[in-house]
Amino acid sequence: MNSRGSTNRLSSTSNFRSRMSFLMLSMFSTMAALYVAGRLWLDSENRVYLIQELDRRTGQGRSAISVDDTLKIITCREQQKRLTALQMELGKASQEGFVSKHLQDNNEKDSKKKLLAVIGVSTNFGNKKNRDAIRKAWMPTGPARKKLEEEKGIVIRFVIGRSLNRGDSSDRAIDDESRNSDDFIILNDHVESPQEQSKKTKSFFAYAVEHWDAEFYAKVNDNVYVNLDAIGAVLTSYLDKPRAYIGCMKSGEVFSQSEQKWYEPEWWKFGDGKSYFRHASGEIFAISKALAQFISINRSILRSYAHDDVSAGSWFIGLDVKYVDEGKFCCSSWSSGSVCAAA
């Protein structure tokens, strides 16, 4: 009897514990379900709030935008920014000449005919008589100059800087002459000085290539007379040279004494032999468009020496350039077919 009673009590205790375990498990399951439901409801509320806020800020009313759509919009905006930046870089590269010949040809089909040459006649404030003589001798004026540009593709301009005392009588005289003749390039950022001739030549090439599209760019002194037919013929014969440096080539002694006429303050850079590298005479020389673009792009870091012909030669030493020692560019004597003669 006692054994059967004990058995019943143990069975009741075991059943009670099973029911308690089940109740506890049910309670925990219910609490977990409520917690998960609460989190889902909260996330849903946050998602609705974010969508409403996005709608409000983008002015799209009540239209719902998914997270995926939002990411796509952001990506498209970033792509648009990159495309705009690339278009700007391409436009700049096109201006500087760093586009393929195929693209250039396509862009130029509808544009005006490319010029053969832009000739800059380097002058200064005290040389009005030289300029007048040039206008009478070989540089057309008025309609004749326009005809030269349109028919032969040759543009000619006097090149001059500004006075150290900006706006003084020298500047005003040049401004008046320029208004009357309309044949000047006035380099407003350059101070006219014999010691700054190299910088002036550099500024001219940069200005010219930025304002005219030509095959060649030539620098001439204002005491030189030029045969325009001859220079046109000579330059045309070198159209197949994309990086041509054309002139009366020379080299010679570097003068290290300050009292000497052609004194070079930085003579020590030219070695113990004190001899200049090969370069074109400064009376007249021409360079192709690619070299003019190189000068324009790198003008802030190109070294200028005492003489502009030496400086120009130094700019091309490290480049793949075709040096053309053209005897017709030697102005010491006027002979048949010569391009120039020094006054």
Side-chain angles (χ1 to χ4, degrees), residues 18-198:
S18 297
R19 286 194 296 271
M20 286 296 296
S21 297
F22 176 79
L23 288 173
M24 291 295 291
L25 181 61
S26 299
M27 183 172 63
F28 281 125
S29 298
T30 301
M31 291 177 64
L34 291 173
Y35 174 78
V36 171
R39 292 295 300 175
L40 291 174
W41 177 82
L42 183 60
D43 288 343
S44 177
E45 285 291 305
N46 288 337
R47 188 182 182 87
V48 171
Y49 171 78
L50 290 173
I51 292 174
Q52 290 175 345
E53 189 68 5
L54 182 61
D55 287 343
R56 182 180 67 80
R57 295 191 180 188
T58 57
Q60 294 179 359
R62 295 180 174 274
S63 59
I65 302 177
S66 68
V67 174
D68 289 340
D69 289 338
T70 303
L71 292 175
K72 289 178 181 178
I73 291 173
I74 294 172
T75 301
C76 288
R77 288 174 179 171
E78 291 297 324
Q79 293 288 350
Q80 183 63 38
K81 290 179 181 178
R82 291 180 61 188
L83 179 59
T84 302
L86 288 172
Q87 289 174 335
M88 292 177 64
E89 291 179 6
L90 180 60
K92 183 178 179 182
S94 178
Q95 291 179 353
E96 295 174 347
F98 291 100
V99 293
S100 69
K101 189 176 187 302
H102 174 72
L103 288 177
Q104 282 185 326
D105 290 341
N106 287 340
N107 291 335
E108 290 171 0
K109 282 182 180 178
D110 299 326
S111 65
K112 60 184 180 181
K113 182 180 178 181
K114 191 171 186 177
L115 297 168
L116 174 63
V118 176
I119 301 174
V121 183
S122 184
T123 188
N124 57 53
F125 294 121
N127 284 13
K128 187 176 187 305
K129 290 183 178 180
N130 287 23
R131 294 191 292 273
D132 289 339
I134 286 175
R135 291 185 183 109
K136 292 178 180 179
W138 62 270
M139 179 178 174
T141 59
R145 190 184 71 240
K146 187 69 173 177
K147 183 178 180 181
L148 176 70
E149 296 174 2
E150 293 177 349
E151 294 185 0
K152 295 189 176 181
I154 298 177
V155 170
I156 310 170
R157 296 291 187 274
F158 290 109
V159 182
I160 196 167
R162 285 298 188 181
S163 172
L164 180 62
N165 302 310
R166 183 63 67 92
D168 64 6
S169 59
S170 296
D171 274 351
R172 292 195 300 273
I174 289 296
D175 288 337
D176 290 341
E177 187 179 347
S178 178
R179 278 191 293 270
N180 292 329
S181 62
D182 191 29
D183 56 7
F184 274 89
I185 293 174
I186 299 178
L187 304 171
N188 289 309
D189 295 331
H190 175 77
V191 175
E192 193 65 33
S193 168
Q195 291 75 32
E196 300 295 336
Q197 180 62 42
S198 295

Side-chain angles (χ1 to χ4, degrees), residues 202-214:
K202 180 167 57 176
S203 296
F204 157 66
F205 283 125
Y207 180 97
V209 78
E210 290 169 3
H211 288 79
W212 287 283
D213 181 20

